[in-house]
Amino acid sequence: MDVEISRLANGLTIVTDRMPHLATAALGIWVRAGSRSETTAQNGITHLLEHMAFKGTVTRSARQIAEEIEAVGGELNASTSVEHTNYYARVLAENVPLAVELIADILQNSVFDAEELAREKHVILQEIGAAHDTPDDQVFDLFQQAAWAQQAIGRPILGTRETVMGFTADDLRAYLGERYRAPEMVLAAAGAVDHAEIVALAERHFSGLDSAPAPIDATAHYTGGAERLDRSLMEVQFLLGFQGRPYRAEDFHAIQIVSSVMGGGMSSRLFQEVREKRGLCYAVYAFHWAFRDTGLFGIHAATGEEDIAELVPVLLDELERAVDDLDESEIDRAKAQIRAGLLMALESPAARAGQIARQMLIHGRVLSLDEITAKIQAVDARMARQVAADVFFGGTPTLSAIGPLAKVPVFDEVTARLATPQLRVARG
C-alpha cells in the first residue's frame, strides 16, 4: 500500500493509495453521518439526502450530472449505512478532476427542488415497500430494532413512510449543515491518483466547508429482546443474535474469526450440521457487525414451518459446542479466509478507497496490512472459545422472526435454554 495523508486547514482529511499499474481511479467523500446520527423525527433523512444530492445543483440539472460523468465513461453513486454516508466515482485517470468537482458540487450546491423532492420521496416509499415485501430483508430491520430498542442505531436506514413524507427542503439543508462538516469528512482516492493533485483539488473545491465539529452520535446501549411478525409465508425467516464487539475492542478479531468458523462458508459448523447433515434449511450463516461503540453477532436461517422447532435447538447446541471445542485447525481455516478476503479487496481501487476512508473515520489512521494480519494471526483457539463464551452466554440474546410462527420458540424459551446449568459450566 502506498498511502499518503493530508489535512486541510478546515479539518478535511485527504487520504490516497496510489496503484501505479492502473489506468483508473476510485475516489469519493466519506461522511461520519449515518442513520444513527438521526433523531426519531429525522429517521430516514440521511438516506433521502443521499438521493437528493444527485437531483440538481445551482449549475447542473440531475440529467446534466448524469451526462457529464457518463460522457467520460465514469460512474457516480452513493450509499448510506448506519454510521457513514459516501459519495463516490470511478473514472479514468485523466478525469479525476471532473469527478472531484462533481462530488463537491452535489454536496455543497444542491438546490433540493420541490418537484424533485416529491418525486424522490415517492421512489423511497417504493424502496420501503419493497423491503416490507422481502421477508429476508425485513427480518434484519426487526433484528436491529430488538437489539437496540428505542435508539437511532436500531431504526431502519430507509426511515418510515411517515418520516420520509414529512421532510422538507429546509430539513435537508439543516441536516446537511449540521452533519456535513470538514472534520467529519474524508476525501479518499485509490488507483491511478497523485496525492498532491488530490490535495490541490480538495483545496479548490472543499476549503469552504464548515470547520466546526458535528454533534456526537448518542452512545449505543444494547438491550436485546425479540421482534416477531406472523405472516402467511412458505418459510420462517429467523435471526438469533448477541451483543458483539466494536471495531476497536481487543477481541474484535477473535469474534470475527468465531463468526467465520460458525457460519462463514460451506465448511463452517452451522452449514455442515444444519444444512449438510440434517437438511433443515437451504442456507444458514453467521455474521458480526461492528460499529464505533458496539457490535452485533447474528445467525440467520430460513426454513419451513415444520422444521423451525428442530432448527433452533440445533443452533443453540452449536453455540455450546463452540465454547467447548473450537480447535486450531478451524481457527487457521478462518484466518486464511479472512486474509484472502483482505488481499482480494486490495486488488480493487474502489475497495481500497472505501477501506482507507473508513479506517480514517474509525481509527484516525490507516492500518497496514501487516498490522491487521498480525492481529488476526494472534488469535488462537483459547481466545476464540473465550470470546464465544462471553458473547453467546454473557447477556441477553436478540431474536427476530417473520413467517408462520406457531412453532418458533418464544424469547423466554431461548433465554432459558442459554442459561442452563451445563452452559454455565461450559462458560467457566
Side-chain angles (χ1 to χ4, degrees):
M1 297 176 72
D2 186 9
V3 174
E4 293 186 74
I5 302 169
S6 297
R7 285 184 176 84
L8 300 188
N10 61 8
L12 177 74
T13 298
I14 301 101
V15 57
T16 64
D17 188 356
R18 185 168 177 266
M19 304 166 71
H21 58 288
L22 296 183
T24 64
L27 58 94
I29 284 284
W30 276 256
V31 189
R32 200 193 327 267
S35 58
R36 72 173 297 183
S37 305
E38 302 164 347
T39 65
T40 303
Q42 289 174 329
N43 184 211
I45 198 170
T46 312
H47 178 250
L48 176 61
L49 176 60
E50 173 228 307
H51 277 233
M52 287 302 299
F54 295 88
K55 298 306 174 183
T57 69
V58 294
T59 58
R60 295 178 172 96
S61 67
R63 180 166 183 166
Q64 287 173 323
I65 292 169
E67 287 179 344
E68 281 195 49
I69 193 69
E70 292 180 2
V72 297
E75 63 173 296
L76 188 64
N77 213 328
S79 65
T80 304
S81 68
V82 172
E83 293 189 318
H84 306 128
T85 308
N86 73 291
Y87 302 79
Y88 58 91
R90 293 192 64 187
V91 291
L92 299 178
E94 61 264 30
N95 300 126
V96 164
L98 172 64
V100 174
E101 196 271 324
L102 278 172
I103 292 172
D105 192 28
I106 66 174
L107 291 183
Q108 298 174 91
N109 302 313
S110 287
V111 294
F112 305 132
D113 175 77
E115 289 186 9
E116 290 284 3
L117 179 56
R119 224 175 349 253
E120 211 55 31
K121 285 182 180 181
H122 183 71
V123 169
I124 291 175
L125 292 187
Q126 301 309 307
E127 276 193 84
I128 293 172
H132 286 174
D133 288 344
T134 310
D136 49 338
D137 286 344
Q138 191 179 14
V139 74
F140 279 90
D141 284 343
L142 295 179
F143 189 58
Q144 287 183 244
Q145 182 179 324
W148 296 292
Q150 305 300 314
Q151 298 169 69
I153 194 172
R155 291 193 282 267
I157 291 172
L158 297 180
T160 67
R161 290 177 176 272
E162 293 73 24
T163 57
V164 170
M165 289 305 297
F167 295 135
T168 67
D170 285 342
D171 292 330
L172 292 173
R173 293 187 189 98
Y175 185 79
L176 182 70
E178 180 183 69
R179 291 290 174 176
Y180 281 53
R181 298 179 179 178
E184 320 303 330
M185 300 168 73
V186 172
L187 171 58
V193 296
D194 177 79
H195 185 75
E197 179 189 23
I198 299 296
V199 172
L201 289 167
E203 286 276 12
R204 185 183 312 159
H205 296 296
F206 291 103
S207 59
L209 287 171
D210 193 333
S211 61
I216 298 173
D217 295 339
T219 300
H221 297 284
Y222 174 87
T223 60
E227 291 287 342
R228 297 157 59 97
L229 182 59
D230 205 319
R231 291 180 58 183
S232 179
L233 301 171
M234 292 295 293
E235 288 187 318
V236 177
Q237 296 286 336
F238 180 82
L239 273 163
L240 172 66
F242 310 90
Q243 183 174 19
R245 296 292 188 262
Y247 284 112
R248 287 179 284 188
E250 290 186 4
D251 51 3
F252 165 75
H253 293 286
I255 193 61
Q256 293 287 99
I257 286 172
V258 169
S259 173
S260 182
V261 171
M262 293 298 294
M266 291 189 296
S267 65
S268 67
R269 288 188 168 208
L270 291 172
F271 191 91
Q272 286 296 312
E273 183 67 25
V274 177
R275 160 72 189 270
E276 298 294 88
K277 181 178 177 180
R278 298 175 184 264
L280 288 174
C281 61
Y282 174 72
V284 59
Y285 61 91
F287 58 90
H288 179 253
W289 297 338
F291 300 101
R292 172 178 54 83
D293 55 353
T294 188
L296 190 59
F297 184 101
I299 297 170
H300 175 247
T303 192
E305 181 179 8
E306 297 304 316
D307 290 322
I308 189 68
E310 181 182 354
L311 172 65
V312 176
V314 172
L315 297 180
L316 297 173
D317 288 343
E318 289 304 308
L319 297 179
E320 180 179 352
R321 283 189 55 229
V323 174
D324 289 337
D325 62 10
L326 282 177
D327 62 45
E328 295 295 349
S329 65
E330 293 176 296
I331 302 303
D332 288 343
R333 187 162 58 244
K335 289 177 182 178
Q337 288 179 309
I338 294 171
R339 182 171 179 272
L342 288 170
L343 291 172
M344 290 175 185
L346 291 179
E347 297 180 358
S348 161
R352 281 205 198 192
Q355 182 186 70
I356 60 178
R358 288 188 295 271
Q359 288 178 349
M360 290 303 302
L361 289 171
I362 294 164
H363 301 285
R365 64 188 181 91
V366 174
L367 309 182
S368 71
L369 181 62
D370 287 344
E371 180 181 356
I372 297 171
T373 301
K375 290 181 178 180
I376 293 168
Q377 290 302 122
V379 177
D380 58 22
R382 181 195 60 79
M383 295 167 64
R385 289 194 296 267
Q386 182 61 57
V387 75
D390 293 343
V391 169
F392 300 157
F393 307 113
T396 305
T398 296
L399 185 155
S400 67
I402 296 177
L405 303 183
K407 298 184 179 180
V408 177
V410 298
F411 181 73
D412 288 347
E413 292 174 327
V414 173
T415 302
R417 174 68 174 79
L418 289 168
T420 57
Q422 67 190 80
L423 292 183
R424 287 199 294 271
V425 170
R427 288 177 57 200

